[in-house]
Structures are given as C-alpha cells and as structure tokens.
Amino acid sequence: MWSRPIYLVVTFLLPIICMLFWGTFMNDGLPSSIPIGVIDLDNTATSRNTIRQIDATQQNTIVAHYANFSDARDAMQRGKIYAFFEIPANFQSDIYTGKQPNIDFYYNSTFLIAGSLVNKNLSIMSATISGGVTLKMFTAKGMDAKTAMAQLRPITPEFYAIGNPWINYSVYLVNVILPGLLGLIILLMTVYSIGVELKMSTGRKWLRAANNKISIAILGKQLPYTFCFTVVFVACDIMLFKILHYPLHCNLGWMLLNSFLFVIANQSLGIFMIEIFPVLRDGLSFASLFGVLSFSFAGLSFPIEQMFPFMQAWSYLFPIRHYYLIYQNIALNGFEPYYALWDYSCLMFFIFLPFLLAFRLKKALIYDRYPKK
C-alpha cells in the first residue's frame, strides 16, 4: 500500500474530499431565494400586493419585472430565472366583480429541486391570496371572521414530516450519495489491488507468500483495506450524525454495523468481479458500470416497488440498496433494528461471493495469461 501513491490517495484522500464536499454541499439544507420573474399587466394596488406576498416567501425572490411573455420566457431559457408568473390586465376589477381572474405560473421543471420548490411555493401563495380575497368578500357581506373562515376552509389539514421535519434535502441525498461514492471507491480499489497483481505478473509470488492458498492470499491483501475503509466510514457516520446532527432514531452502533457490513459487501463484490474478469481493465470497467448503476437501484430517486418485477429482483444485487433500507428504516423512521435484520443478512450474504470463483482467480495467477498488449 505504501509502494504507490494511488493506494493512499484512493483509500484516504479521496474519501476525505468526498466527505468535505458533500458535508458542506447543502449547508442550509434547502435552496432559498430562488430567482423568479413577474409580468404585471394590471399594475394596481391588488396586483402589487400579490407580488409582495409572493416575494416574501423564503424560497422565492422576484429579481425582474418583464413587459411581456416573450421576454420572461427568454430569461428563463437563458437560466436567469427559474419561473415567472403573469398577472393579467383588469386583475383587480375582475376580482371585485367576481369574474375569477387567472394567474399563470410558468416554471422550469428541468431542475428537479428548484422547479418543485417554486411550483410548491407559488401554488401555496396563490391559494393563500385567493383565500384572503374570498375572506374579505365574506366579511364585507356582514359575516364574522370565524364563520367566514369555516365557510372558506371547512376542513383544516395538518401536515407532519416524519423522520425529517426540517425538509432538509441533504438528509435525503447525502446519506445515500456519500456512502454510494465511498462504496464505488471500495469496489474499484478492491478490483485494482488484485488486478494489478495479474497485470504486473506478480501473482505467483503473491500465492507463494500465502502458501499457495488463494483464500489466505485474498484475506491478507484485503484486511488492511477493510480496516482503512472502516475507519473512513466511522468518521463519515460521526460527521453526519454527531457533527451535522442528521436524524438518528437508533443507537449509533447499528449504523456503524451497517457501514462495516457495507464495506465488507463491496470488497467481496469487487473480489467476485475480478474473479469473473481476471483482467485489470475489464474488471475495472465492469466495476465502474455496476457502481454507477447502483445509484439508480438504491431506491432514493425512484421507488423500487414501481419498477418491473425483474428490475426489483436485480436491486438485491446492490449493497447500497440494503444500506439505504437500513438507514431509512431504523435511522430515519425509528423502527426497531429487528425490522432491518433481513437487510443486514443480505449484506452479510455478499461475503460468500468470493468463494464461488476463487479457483478461477487462482488459475489466472498461476498461469499468468494476462494480455501483454
């Protein structure tokens, strides 16, 4: 491990950079002051009050007024604003005469988080403004405020965000993306550390040092990496749950166990990959493809349950899927660890993968058939 700088860089420096980057990526937890525009064709006291109320929201900031739809659309296409809304002419007079004027909202849904937040805030504010106008109409007719509110909103919903009451996007993203990146690093490092023996034709020497026992050879080579990456994951868990204070509704030990098994699972998977493709470039290519696909099969961005049954079955082959389910169930939702035993067992199952094709790797080391060109 001390012979090449790449070992120390990938084992320690790269994970530290990932932790520092993702740990500070969304410091506020939620985007704020998203720039939006407005087209005010009415220019009355009511329209200006509507604009002020929308501008007062935490996530939205009105940065420009436009004269027409074309100018606003051009600004949004250029990325200057994420959304704009248009107040029609005769807005105030139509309200007073009961003609129900429309406010048109346009938002860029290409940006998932920004677009959804803008849509949410504009929808809430439009409902609030509409309710305020209706309330004034009821009270103007002599109805008291309490009765008017009952007429306006007969059912009052209450919303509770379970597990993440702050709606902190980093709680959802970082706890999967960061372990996923570290898992990819472990996968590639495992394939490289074994594949380089094949490339440099030092496989026989490696086997002789292990008394020609492939199991001892693999164990001796991977144990130092197991220790190093476990230390990295312990530091990662401490940063997330103790320093950044992400939700943790269980004992930290259960997440440390989750991290340790995740390290072992990715190492075992990496060994299995280099056994299938006992050529360094082929093994790294396959590991890279598998590692990138794992983010889609974690279940964070799209529910696994809504995929085809065949794809649902494939999700069990990715350690990050089980890591995410354990985190979601016991850390976020506060379930008893008993309900995560199946996923803990699945992570442990990966340990047996290297034994399936160990003979193939040993044969490749002995006969030294690595392509020289």
Side-chain angles (χ1 to χ4, degrees):
M1 291 177 66
W2 291 98
S3 62
R4 294 168 178 248
I6 187 174
Y7 291 106
L8 297 178
V9 169
V10 176
T11 306
F12 291 106
L13 183 60
L14 191 57
I16 291 174
I17 293 175
C18 289
M19 287 192 293
L20 291 176
F21 176 79
W22 287 104
T24 58
F25 180 64
M26 289 184 288
N27 189 42
D28 296 330
L30 195 68
S32 59
S33 302
I34 298 174
I36 64 175
V38 59
I39 305 172
D40 187 3
L41 301 179
D42 190 46
N43 196 25
T44 60
T46 302
S47 66
R48 289 192 292 271
N49 180 58
T50 300
I51 293 172
R52 284 194 297 270
Q53 291 189 55
I54 293 177
D55 190 39
T57 59
Q58 181 180 359
Q59 274 79 40
N60 298 336
T61 298
I62 296 176
V63 296
H65 291 253
Y66 300 98
N68 52 60
F69 176 85
S70 298
D71 293 343
R73 183 182 62 179
D74 182 69
M76 188 166 68
Q77 291 175 340
R78 292 177 180 272
K80 297 179 180 179
I81 56 175
Y82 288 90
F84 65 90
F85 62 98
E86 181 179 359
I87 299 177
N90 304 320
F91 177 68
Q92 179 174 277
S93 61
D94 287 347
I95 289 176
Y96 290 157
T97 57
K99 293 183 179 180
Q100 293 184 317
N102 294 324
I103 297 180
D104 296 323
F105 296 104
Y106 303 89
Y107 66 96
N108 192 346
S109 61
T110 304
F111 303 95
L112 178 62
I113 295 179
S116 60
L117 284 176
V118 168
N119 179 40
K120 173 187 172 184
N121 289 320
L122 291 179
S123 299
I124 292 175
M125 286 308 302
S126 64
T128 302
I129 294 169
S130 177
V133 172
T134 306
L135 182 62
K136 288 183 178 180
M137 293 176 61
F138 284 158
T139 54
K141 293 178 180 180
M143 190 179 298
D144 62 277
K146 186 176 181 180
T147 305
M149 283 299 298
Q151 292 289 329
L152 178 64
R153 200 172 190 182
I155 299 175
T156 302
E158 293 185 3
F159 300 95
Y160 299 94
I162 304 299
N164 185 12
W166 312 276
I167 314 297
N168 189 330
Y169 275 84
S170 60
V171 171
Y172 298 119
L173 296 177
V174 176
N175 274 291
V176 177
I177 293 180
L178 181 55
L181 287 174
L182 295 180
L184 179 59
I185 291 173
I186 295 172
L187 201 63
L188 294 175
M189 193 69 242
T190 303
V191 172
Y192 180 84
S193 63
I194 296 177
V196 74
E197 300 283 357
L198 295 164
K199 182 179 180 180
M200 304 304 295
S201 299
T202 55
R204 295 176 184 174
K205 180 180 179 181
W206 177 32
L207 273 178
R208 284 196 299 269
N211 295 324
N212 292 320
K213 295 182 179 180
I214 188 64
S215 58
I216 296 178
I218 293 175
L219 190 65
K221 178 175 285 292
Q222 293 305 315
L223 272 180
Y225 295 103
T226 303
F227 174 79
C228 294
F229 285 121
T230 300
V231 170
V232 168
F233 260 93
V234 169
C236 178
D237 287 338
I238 292 175
M239 179 192 74
L240 294 178
F241 299 116
K242 296 300 182 181
I243 298 177
L244 298 180
H245 301 289
Y246 283 9
L248 181 64
H249 299 117
C250 67
N251 189 286
L252 180 61
W254 289 107
M255 286 305 298
L256 294 178
L257 176 62
N258 186 20
S259 299
F260 174 72
L261 293 178
F262 185 64
V263 171
I264 297 296
N266 279 286
Q267 283 189 293
S268 301
L269 200 57
I271 297 169
F272 186 66
M273 288 178 180
I274 195 63
E275 290 174 348
I276 296 176
F277 302 101
V279 177
L280 181 59
R281 60 173 178 264
D282 295 341
L284 286 176
S285 298
F286 182 67
S288 301
L289 175 62
F290 188 92
V292 171
L293 285 176
S294 66
F295 291 97
S296 300
F297 283 93
L300 170 69
S301 58
F302 190 84
I304 298 296
E305 293 77 14
Q306 300 301 316
M307 295 183 179
F308 289 110
F310 175 75
M311 305 304 290
Q312 294 181 34
W314 268 94
S315 67
Y316 288 98
L317 301 179
F318 296 87
I320 189 62
R321 171 61 176 165
H322 307 289
Y323 179 94
Y324 173 64
L325 287 176
I326 293 172
Y327 163 71
Q328 183 185 59
N329 289 330
I330 68 174
L332 273 184
N333 295 331
F335 291 169
E336 290 294 330
Y338 168 82
Y339 294 99
L341 288 180
W342 165 252
D343 293 297
Y344 279 117
S345 301
C346 289
L347 287 177
M348 295 178 64
F349 171 78
F350 286 95
I351 300 175
F352 299 100
L353 286 179
F355 296 100
L356 299 179
L357 295 177
F359 69 93
R360 179 176 171 84
L361 177 61
K362 184 175 182 179
K363 185 178 179 180
L365 293 172
I366 292 175
Y367 291 98
D368 191 19
R369 294 174 180 173
Y370 189 88
K372 304 303 180 183
K373 293 184 181 179

